[in-house]
């Protein structure tokens, strides 16, 4: 059995010595390697796959940035670090890391410039009408719940989804560019190298790592630090079962093969604490096109549970974690639109009562929900959930229908948000809150900015931002 921690006395000879060893070449690893190398550290990146990219290369490529970036300005939007900060602090879950959010918002304009300086292109055109990556190559979108209750009352909204210039999913372009930048830097990449153990001295200092490559063990000494950027754990059934069993119901677990929690386990074996292992991004794209936000999302009791104009990452989290993934989007003929994402129609009825029967909901439940909603909607109001008035319209035109938003048949796309506990410089913390000497982390191997209420772009955003900080800090160790 491979042991996840080795004592230096067990290593007779190192195959290689570097200053900084980065484990995993996704977005966070690329950012860490670039900054470590530029700070003058001899840097090696281990990647278990045959090339870099990871989940980052499969992603939408949206980066959540703001505070007045050059792209926001070019698209005619005002934003401030304060507004971004207040939104993130309010929306990123029950107990987000306030210090990380503060630094992220203060550094966001510079971070956009840095991403662009690596060669990632952005078209200075705003695309309205979609959540997350647009169908065009436009550069700026809404990618959160900034204009929805309760956040619109907390901070002036601004679109902050920064999208590399490519149609649809732009993760491939982002990662081609970042990997090319790493290749052009003094950092070296060792592909087909899976890190299987950390080398840790009895005093707790991490001094290197052991990797497997084509059946051979390779031992690498890291004079200044090891940075774990191995991604999340959506493909680790045991960790999912232990920390977020409801996620097993999701149809789509979004993540490359490498998202098996290996880096998190390596860190834990070295004494690291973890945080927010129960937090996940759950996308339920039920209200795309946006006209469908005029519908009512109801649970198995026929009751609404959220303002339907919230971002689809928030809808999914609420539907799965609070309602067991049993939800339906109710529409009438007047607001019916073909959903952008294929979706079954669970039931149709000439009246709310008939629709309720067809859905098998408790007698009177959906009927009462629609009647109450309509009573206030006649005045364009939604006193229960405060949906924006332009999405509030009485549902009175038969036939009535319900789109299936249950986990059994609908897209619920999940990835994990929790991981190793780190400070703002990417130092991995032990269970007493002290940094483990020589051990760093970033990206989804660590607990990020969002620990709930996800806005798209925060994962690539915080991974690259705190990956850079970890790279610089490790290089300076
Ligand atoms: C379809 C989809 C769309 C998404 N859209 C967005 C979006 O638009 N914006 C956003 O912010 N997020 C998005 N996400 C989430 C986001 O892609 C991930 O959370 C993010 O890419 C994680 O980055 P990372 O660098 O931490 O990990 P990864 O990109 O997964 O990189 C980790 C790397 O480490 C390697 N690795 C793992 N274990 C080891 C080991 N033991 N030894 C060596 N190497 C190892 C892996 O092979 C991998 O290359 C999306 C995800 C998916 C799948």
């Amino acid at each position: 059995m491979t042991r996840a921690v080795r004592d230096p006395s067990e290593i007779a000879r190192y195959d290689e010595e570097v200053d900084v060893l980065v484990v995993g070449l996704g977005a966070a690893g690329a950012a860490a390697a670039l900054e470590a190398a530029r700070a003058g550290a001899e840097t090696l990146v281990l990647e278990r796959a045959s090339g870099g990219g990871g989940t980052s290369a499969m992603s939408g490529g949206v980066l959540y940035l703001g505070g007045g970036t050059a792209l926001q300005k070019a698209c005619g939007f005002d934003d401030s670090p304060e507004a971004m900060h207040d939104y993130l602090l309010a929306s990123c879950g029950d107990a987000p890391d306030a210090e990380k959010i503060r630094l992220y918002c203060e550094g966001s304009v510079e971070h956009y410039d840095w991403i662009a300086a690596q060669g990632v292109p952005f078209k200075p055109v705003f695309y309205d009408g979609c959540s997350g990556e647009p169908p065009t190559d436009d550069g700026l979108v809404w990618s959160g719940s900034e204009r929805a209750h309760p956040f619109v009352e907390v901070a002036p909204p601004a679109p902050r989804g920064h999208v590399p210039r490519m149609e649809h999913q732009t993760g491939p372009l982002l990662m081609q560019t970042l990997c090319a930048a790493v290749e052009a830097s003094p950092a070296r990449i060792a592909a087909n190298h899976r890190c299987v153990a950390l080398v840790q001295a009895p005093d707790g200092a991490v001094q290197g790592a052991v990797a497997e490559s084509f059946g051979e063990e390779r031992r690498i000494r890291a004079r200044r630090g090891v940075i774990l950027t191995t991604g999340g754990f959506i493909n680790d059934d045991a960790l999912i079962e232990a920390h977020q069993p409801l996620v097993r119901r999701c149809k789509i677990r979004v993540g490359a093969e490498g998202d098996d929690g290996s880096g998190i386990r390596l860190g834990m074996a070295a004494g690291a604490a973890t945080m927010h292992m129960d937090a996940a991004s759950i996308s339920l794209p039920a209200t795309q096109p946006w006209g469908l936000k005029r519908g009512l999302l109801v649970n198995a009791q026929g009751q609404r549970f959220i303002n339907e104009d919230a971002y689809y990452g928030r809808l999914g989290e609420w539907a799965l974690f609070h309602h067991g993934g049993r939800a339906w989007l109710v529409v009438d003929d007047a607001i019916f639109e073909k959903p952008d994402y294929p979706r079954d129609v669970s039931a149709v009825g000439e009246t709310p009562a008939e629709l309720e029967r067809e859905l098998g909901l408790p007698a009177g439940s959906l009927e009462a929900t629609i009647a109450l909603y309509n009573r206030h909607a006649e005045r364009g109001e939604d006193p229960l959930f405060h949906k924006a008035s332009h999405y509030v319209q009485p549902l009175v035109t038969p036939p009535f229908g319900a789109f299936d938003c249950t986990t059994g048949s609908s897209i619920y796309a999940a990835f994990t948000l929790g991981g190793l506990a780190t400070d703002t410089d990417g130092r991995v913390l032990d269970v007493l809150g002290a940094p483990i000497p020589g051990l760093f982390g970033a990206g989804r191997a660590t607990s990020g900015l969002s620990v709930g209420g996800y806005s798209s772009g925060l994962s690539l955003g915080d991974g690259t931002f705190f990956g850079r900080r970890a790279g610089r800090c490790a290089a300076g160790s």
Side-chain angles (χ1 to χ4, degrees):
M1 196 178 85
T2 307
R3 281 175 303 111
V5 169
R6 309 275 178 89
D7 190 275
S9 64
E10 297 174 50
I11 312 284
R13 179 186 61 80
Y14 283 101
D15 297 292
E16 194 155 358
E17 285 205 24
V18 294
D19 292 325
V20 173
L21 184 65
V22 178
V23 184
L25 186 52
L34 284 167
E35 291 289 77
R38 285 172 189 164
E42 192 185 341
T43 302
L44 177 67
V45 189
L46 302 180
E47 168 53 53
R48 64 176 253 176
S50 55
T55 304
S56 306
M58 299 164 54
S59 75
V62 180
L63 294 137
Y64 195 95
L65 299 167
T69 63
L71 185 70
Q72 286 178 310
K73 285 186 178 148
C75 293
F77 288 97
D78 280 335
D79 195 10
S80 68
E82 293 75 27
M84 182 183 178
H85 170 270
D86 292 350
Y87 169 72
L88 288 182
L89 200 60
S91 67
C92 279
D94 289 329
D97 186 322
E99 187 57 9
K100 281 186 182 169
I101 288 178
R102 186 184 66 76
L103 283 167
Y104 187 72
C105 296
E106 284 175 7
S108 191
V109 168
E110 184 276 337
H111 190 53
Y112 168 76
D113 292 340
W114 184 88
I115 296 277
Q118 308 316 305
V120 181
F122 294 91
K123 185 175 172 182
V125 174
F126 170 63
Y127 185 93
D128 202 5
C130 81
S131 305
E133 68 268 21
T136 64
D137 65 352
D138 294 336
L140 189 68
V141 290
W142 293 99
S143 68
S145 299
E146 296 88 351
R147 291 184 298 178
H149 175 82
F151 311 108
V152 69
E153 290 106 46
V154 168
R160 303 193 179 103
H162 290 56
V163 198
R165 186 171 193 160
M166 187 179 178
E167 288 180 13
H168 299 290
Q169 284 194 304
T170 67
L173 173 62
L174 176 73
M175 286 316 295
Q176 269 165 17
T177 313
L178 290 182
C179 288
V182 176
E183 274 162 25
S185 81
R188 287 177 298 119
I189 301 169
N192 297 305
H193 277 64
R194 177 203 290 257
C195 181
V196 293
L198 295 173
V199 179
Q200 188 176 32
D203 68 358
V206 171
Q207 299 184 346
V210 179
E212 273 177 14
S213 180
F214 300 112
E216 301 265 303
E217 236 185 46
R218 287 179 54 76
R219 293 148 292 242
I220 302 127
R221 174 151 158 68
R223 289 181 287 257
R224 302 190 200 170
V226 175
I227 308 178
L228 297 171
T229 48
T230 46
F233 62 92
I234 195 70
N235 291 322
D236 183 325
D237 287 339
L239 283 178
I240 289 295
E241 178 119 9
H243 297 285
Q244 25 188 288
L246 280 169
V247 165
R248 290 176 306 177
R249 296 185 189 172
C250 294
K251 267 194 136 181
I252 304 179
R253 294 190 187 184
V254 287
E257 216 178 296
D259 278 3
D260 61 358
S262 68
I264 297 174
R265 287 178 183 277
L266 289 174
M268 287 165 73
T274 55
M275 287 185 77
H276 301 296
M277 293 290 278
D278 57 347
S281 161
I282 312 287
S283 292
L284 172 61
T287 50
Q288 196 74 20
W290 282 357
L292 289 174
K293 291 175 192 269
R294 292 174 293 172
L296 304 185
L297 198 59
V298 299
N299 62 16
Q301 287 72 42
Q303 293 171 335
R304 292 173 74 208
F305 52 89
I306 194 166
N307 42 323
E308 292 81 1
D309 58 347
Y311 188 56
Y312 60 54
R314 201 170 171 80
L315 297 184
E317 194 180 315
W318 255 247
L320 181 69
F321 290 139
H322 302 294
H323 300 278
R326 293 185 38 78
W328 294 266
L329 184 75
V330 173
V331 297
D332 72 351
D333 197 50
I335 68 162
F336 176 87
E337 280 183 80
K338 191 167 165 287
D340 283 353
Y341 295 85
R343 198 162 289 280
D344 294 339
V345 174
S346 296
V348 178
E350 283 305 309
T351 62
E354 190 184 339
L355 183 68
E356 177 187 280
R357 268 197 309 280
E358 291 291 314
L359 285 171
L361 298 178
S365 61
L366 182 61
E367 221 184 343
T369 295
I370 295 177
L372 180 62
Y373 179 77
N374 284 350
R375 191 175 123 201
H376 297 292
E378 277 160 16
R379 292 189 306 279
E381 291 170 5
D382 174 23
L384 271 75
F385 293 99
H386 308 280
K387 183 158 65 172
S389 58
H390 53 278
Y391 291 124
V392 176
Q393 158 180 338
L395 303 188
V396 288
T397 313
F400 299 87
F403 288 114
D404 193 334
C405 298
T406 61
T407 41
S409 87
S410 180
I411 294 176
Y412 277 70
F415 66 89
T416 58
L417 296 172
L420 299 171
T422 52
D423 70 9
T424 53
D425 283 317
R427 282 184 284 242
V428 174
L429 305 176
D430 70 15
V431 290
L432 297 177
I436 298 174
L439 190 60
F440 299 82
R444 290 296 60 79
T446 64
S447 176
L449 285 184
S450 172
V451 296
Y454 188 71
S455 298
S456 277
L458 280 173
S459 188
L460 293 169
D462 83 29
T464 49
F465 184 84
F466 290 102
R468 291 176 62 200
R469 290 179 71 92
R472 288 198 297 266
C473 188
S477 293

